[in-house]
Amino acid sequence: MQQATWNHAQYLSVLSWTMFSAAITSAQLFLVFFPFGDLDEYVLGWPLGLSLTANAILVIASTLGRRDQHVRISLTDNGIQYDDEAESYRRNELLRASDIKKIRVRRNPFFKSLTINMKGNNQRFFFSNVSLTEAFLSEANALISGGASNAPQTDPT
């Protein structure tokens, strides 16, 4: 059975870059508020602005990368099993293959995200910082295309 799980190693990588950026930004702010010589001209302006911007982007990325740490997606014979075991948000659903419109993976500079679009109600299942194989994607697409052909057809007249 193929599974897509949360990518712990990628999260730790983004988190380590976030902590490194925070240390550099903290050192720059320390030099601004407690000057040791004339370092203000080297720290203030674009170096501090760039450091604050990079730190903000990395904090947001690490927060998004941690968001779905309790999610697991498994391929079954009937469709895709979506399990979210977070304390405040328990959700276990079987997404039937005939109800799935499209499944896709997007890559951003920090991690991969999996999106499952449903047909009828435009519902979307999202999984950020996912670890999956190419076999998972090919089997999921085969399941969806096979599930769509097995779905009962309705006559519009």
Side-chain angles (χ1 to χ4, degrees), residues 1-151:
M1 174 171 63
Q2 292 283 339
Q3 282 190 343
T5 57
W6 183 68
N7 192 344
H8 186 73
Q10 186 64 30
Y11 169 70
L12 288 178
S13 173
V14 172
L15 185 63
S16 66
W17 279 104
T18 304
M19 293 298 116
F20 180 70
S21 175
I24 290 173
T25 303
S26 297
Q28 287 177 326
L29 290 172
F30 180 77
L31 290 174
V32 168
F33 290 115
F34 301 104
F36 298 105
D38 280 338
L39 295 176
D40 287 352
E41 64 187 60
Y42 299 110
V43 175
L44 287 176
W46 69 267
L48 183 60
L50 182 64
S51 182
L52 287 170
T53 302
N55 198 25
I57 290 170
L58 287 168
V59 165
I60 291 168
S62 64
T63 302
L64 289 175
R66 185 170 188 236
R67 176 178 63 181
D68 294 328
Q69 71 179 354
H70 298 289
V71 174
R72 183 180 61 250
I73 296 176
S74 307
L75 296 179
T76 65
D77 293 335
N78 300 329
I80 297 176
Q81 181 68 38
Y82 181 90
D83 297 318
D84 189 348
E85 298 297 327
E87 277 300 315
S88 62
Y89 187 77
R90 297 210 184 266
R91 186 174 186 177
N92 299 324
E93 289 192 34
L94 177 64
L95 309 175
R96 294 185 317 190
S98 60
D99 293 339
I100 298 173
K101 182 178 187 179
K102 180 173 43 170
I103 185 169
R104 66 180 177 189
V105 174
R106 288 196 170 180
R107 177 108 174 104
N108 64 40
F110 304 106
F111 46 78
K112 293 178 187 175
S113 298
L114 178 76
T115 306
I116 302 171
N117 293 328
M118 304 302 285
K119 287 180 185 174
N121 53 6
N122 287 334
Q123 189 175 11
R124 183 177 288 174
F125 291 86
F126 190 74
F127 187 5
S128 60
N129 192 18
V130 65
S131 174
L132 52 88
T133 62
E134 289 298 322
F136 177 89
L137 264 177
S138 61
E139 285 184 33
N141 285 324
L143 181 68
I144 292 168
S145 63
S149 64
N150 293 337

